[in-house]
Amino acid sequence: MTGPEEQPVGWTPDRPAEDGAPPHFGAGSSAEVLLRRLELTVRRRLDGLLQGDHLGLVPGSGSEAGDARSYHPGDDVRRMDWPVTARTQVPHVRETIADRELETWAVLDLSASLDFGTANCEKRDLAIAGLAAVSHLTVRGGNRLGAVVTTGERVDRYPATAGRLAADRLLRNVVATPRAAGGRRGDLAAALESLRRPPRRRGLVVVISDFLGDADWERPLRGLSARQDLLAIEVVDPRELELADVGLLTVVDPESGQTLEVPTGNAEVRRRFAEGAAAQREEIAASLRRAGAGHLRLQTDRDWLADVVRFVADRRRAGSGGASR
């Protein structure tokens, strides 16, 4: 993995939108203009096809406990509130609150390992684009969106608010988040843990990260699954999956500062790297499955919006009883 100070191979800040890449939110660029361009791209690709979908929120009469009231003939006995009944000596049932409004929390990892990209964009740009797509898919009809952004140096928390203007303001704040200095590790586990207390009403938690480093995030993620729908968006660069034959390559771990020279001309080295990377990604996928999270992978060398459309369409078909790839 190359450090953030190295120029990514094949990547330029003004890459045209036709290659499926999100805009580059680099120094000196206009965040307002780039976010507007990103919004138009997302609308053009997602509107009509996915309008009104909640990403996996289970429909029904409601899962949140409401007020208790006296039992009336015909009430569902499965909703009997036995503690209140015992206390008052009068049969009571517990009403539920319908899930008509969705509260979505995004946990966004912007640690130093995201400041890297060798294809059409940096992983950081792709993570922000993923957040923009989640915003577009969920913020309507009174739904609320909040975010916890972690860089390893700081954690920024934005309360869940409703409305498109509030979502746009959140995206601008995220884009303005300073990049983490090299040698600082992210703390995704702490960001996830901050969403567990106090307990929240049922909703959706979207985690956007490359999930590299220690897998200490799995336990708090599994804890969130008790009350939340989970979606994990894994951000990947192709050079993290396999090495190109470019001779002797100096690589830097941006979260530890460690430098290593890799003889990429050696076919055995490339083979062992690819096998290790595949095993690492499979373990990440297995951890996400154990936590009960949906898993969407976005890559810097692919059309990221096409992958989002495919994932949500497949999830919708699976939820309605259709086949899912």
Side-chain angles (χ1 to χ4, degrees), residues 56-142:
L57 189 69
V58 179
S61 58
S63 60
E64 292 296 313
D67 295 330
R69 62 167 175 81
S70 299
Y71 172 85
H72 300 293
D75 285 338
D76 189 344
V77 296
R78 292 174 297 181
R79 293 196 290 114
M80 292 293 298
D81 192 325
W82 296 112
V84 176
T85 298
R87 187 167 61 249
T88 63
Q89 299 298 306
V90 177
H92 278 72
V93 294
R94 177 68 62 175
E95 293 184 324
T96 57
I97 302 172
D99 295 326
R100 291 193 174 92
E101 294 179 356
L102 174 67
E103 182 170 289
T104 300
W105 278 91
V107 179
L108 184 63
D109 177 9
L110 293 183
S111 55
S113 66
L114 275 290
D115 298 332
F116 171 70
T118 64
N120 300 330
C121 62
E122 290 183 345
K123 293 194 294 180
R124 179 188 177 102
D125 301 327
L126 195 53
I128 294 173
L131 176 61
V134 169
S135 168
H136 183 74
L137 288 167
T138 58
V139 177
R140 55 171 60 92

Side-chain angles (χ1 to χ4, degrees), residues 27 30 53 100 105 152 162 242 244 259:
S30 170
D53 275 11
R100 291 193 174 92
W105 278 91
E242 59 182 10
T259 302

